[in-house]
Amino acid sequence: MNAKEGAEEQIRSLTGKLIELSTRIHSNPELGFEEEQACQWLSETLSDAGFSVERGICDVPTAFAARAGHGPLHVAICAEYDSLPGIGHACGHNIIAASAIGAGIAAARVADEAGLTVSVIGTPAEEVGDSSGKILLLERGAFAGAHLAMMVHPAPWDVVMPKIIAASMFQVEYTGKEAHASAFPELGINAADALTVAQTAIGLLRQHIKPADRIHGITTHGGDAPNIVPAHTRAKYIIRGETLKELEELRPRVHRCFEAGALATGSKMNIIGGSKPYAEMRHDPEIAEVYRRNAEALGRKFPDLGLLLERATGSTDMGNISLAIPSIHPMIGIDSLPAVNHQPEFTQHCISEAANTALIDGATAMAMTAIDLATDPATLLRLTGPQP
Ligand SMILES: [Zn+2]
Ligand SMILES: [Zn+2]
């Protein structure tokens, strides 16, 4: 039996367990940095499979690192497992987690013959938009020594190199002054009006931004009672640009919209966060091609999405990893249409038959990709050769 057959057999024997793990995480959604159960279940599964596991790495309590094998090519497989407020696993991170575990265990089983060192890194809080799990882990050395990183992410379709742009989440707070809204309105400073002016300015700004730029947000606190002039309001906003550079060009323009709200109403403004943005994804084309071949060998299809591929952009902290080491972040289809990511209907699709097939295919294709890369001398040299 060669390495690929060995890895495939391993995944076949793990299928029930991986689907059970995905379903369990799905039925117990945990928000970013609170994923205690998922972290425990995943790290225990890896530990039972012979990995040496460390939890709470890099001062991130719900992160983990699991290591197996001693081969020359060190692959890091990223597991995400956070959910979304109110709509559970509407981004299918249960599938990401289970496929990472499957790929990791399968690659580890053949690590010696294929020449692999396998790390499965548990990366919390992908959905938070700023200072997220992968960003903190990367800064604090969790990816040191890894030659490449990979993961698969559920979506309506398979896409080998999805367009992933830079993003930054921050909070805005306005402070005004309370007053009786009817008897003494002239004594109040209206912090909700500040937000209204800012939102109006942002709406107008949208005509003058680049096609890939995005500005979107929510009011998280709009006041306390209609008869009290609102003195405290808060909002969370995300801005996005094609690259970190374009994001930073957009940032001061959006900040000025918020300043306009403060200026117009006399409120005080405070912007919190936004200092550790998500980078654009730089897909490694060679690794992506190897993944595509392996996924197609399993019967997966990569439809030509044409312009939709340009338009349907998202962001992930895997982008930050991709600027540090060669990385891939293919989307894996779960046949969910018309439901798309971040809809409650998509949540339901993330434990469907198609979702379970996707997680097994994703695990298999990632393990096969790792083996192909490790056993191709030219690729091995490119990925492990002297770093500049
Ligand atoms: Zn996601
Ligand atoms: Zn998401």
Side-chain angles (χ1 to χ4, degrees):
M1 190 184 293
N2 66 28
K4 283 182 123 173
E5 288 163 354
E8 236 174 336
E9 188 197 85
Q10 179 73 61
I11 289 181
R12 254 196 310 277
S13 71
L14 276 175
T15 296
K17 200 179 215 175
L18 295 174
I19 291 172
E20 190 275 327
L21 197 52
S22 167
T23 310
R24 195 164 9 136
I25 293 171
H26 185 276
S27 62
N28 181 59
E30 297 169 297
L31 295 176
F33 294 122
E34 297 171 8
E35 313 97 323
E36 289 171 23
Q37 300 258 258
C39 176
Q40 184 185 335
W41 296 333
L42 297 166
S43 45
E44 277 173 5
T45 307
L46 289 163
S47 172
D48 290 349
F51 279 73
S52 65
V53 183
E54 206 186 328
R55 280 169 61 181
I57 54 162
C58 303
D59 287 325
V60 181
T62 56
F64 67 84
R67 177 81 64 90
H70 303 92
L73 185 69
H74 183 173
V75 55
I77 302 167
C78 294
E80 296 175 3
Y81 32 83
D82 60 325
S83 66
L84 289 155
I87 51 174
H89 275 291
C91 210
H93 293 188
N94 56 305
I95 295 168
I96 301 177
S99 60
I101 299 302
I105 295 175
R109 153 136 178 216
V110 298
D112 290 341
E113 51 179 315
L116 282 167
T117 298
V118 182
S119 285
V120 180
I121 316 267
T123 62
E126 188 278 331
E127 295 286 359
V128 299
D130 182 63
S131 303
S132 62
K134 289 189 204 67
I135 292 175
L136 299 178
L137 296 183
L138 182 65
E139 277 182 358
R140 298 172 187 175
F143 287 84
H147 298 115
L148 71 148
M150 58 171 73
M151 58 176 282
V152 295
H153 193 301
W157 325 265
D158 284 70
V159 184
V160 69
M161 290 196 280
K163 184 167 173 178
I164 291 169
I165 62 176
S168 178
M169 193 279 289
F170 54 88
Q171 298 190 61
V172 185
E173 286 179 352
Y174 288 110
T175 307
K177 189 171 173 50
E178 299 89 343
H180 192 292
S182 170
F184 303 104
E186 69 277 14
L187 299 181
I189 296 175
N190 194 320
D193 288 353
L195 209 40
T196 303
V197 171
Q199 285 165 334
T200 305
I202 288 167
L204 295 168
L205 176 63
R206 286 198 180 100
Q207 189 193 342
H208 305 286
I209 59 177
K210 294 181 177 173
D213 289 347
R214 298 279 188 277
I215 311 164
H216 49 96
I218 55 164
T219 299
T220 53
H221 186 76
D224 295 300
N227 56 0
I228 307 171
V229 172
H232 301 282
T233 55
R234 285 189 296 279
K236 279 187 181 176
Y237 266 74
I238 295 177
I239 56 174
R240 306 187 198 229
E242 185 129 13
T243 63
L244 281 175
K245 181 174 170 288
E246 278 152 310
L247 178 75
E248 294 312 327
E249 286 167 8
L250 179 62
R251 189 191 297 275
R253 303 175 71 197
V254 176
H255 280 199
R256 283 201 295 275
C257 295
F258 287 109
E259 285 162 15
L263 187 65
T265 58
S267 303
K268 285 200 172 57
M269 182 197 74
N270 187 22
I271 289 184
I272 302 153
S275 60
K276 294 184 197 293
Y278 289 14
E280 70 275 16
M281 179 88 200
R282 192 186 293 156
H283 304 275
D284 185 279
E286 186 197 354
I287 303 175
E289 196 44 43
V290 175
Y291 173 87
R292 176 209 285 272
R293 272 206 308 274
N294 281 302
E296 283 175 344
L298 298 169
R300 301 206 69 89
K301 303 252 182 300
F302 293 85
D304 180 5
L305 298 175
L307 280 178
L308 186 60
L309 200 57
E310 266 305 292
R311 172 79 186 65
T313 54
S315 308
T316 163
D317 53 5
M318 193 65 178
N320 302 64
I321 305 294
S322 80
L323 299 191
I325 51 176
S327 301
I328 57 167
H329 182 286
M331 311 305 283
I332 192 149
I334 62 166
D335 196 20
S336 62
L337 288 176
V340 297
N341 301 56
H342 293 203
Q343 291 183 317
E345 294 81 1
F346 194 84
T347 310
Q348 291 314 308
H349 279 282
C350 287
I351 44 168
S352 69
E353 192 95 353
N356 293 340
T357 302
L359 91 81
I360 298 302
D361 286 351
T364 310
M366 283 197 283
M368 298 297 140
T369 300
I371 294 166
D372 281 342
L373 298 172
T375 51
D376 181 78
T379 308
L380 183 63
L381 184 66
R382 175 175 80 87
L383 295 172
T384 62
Q387 303 295 313

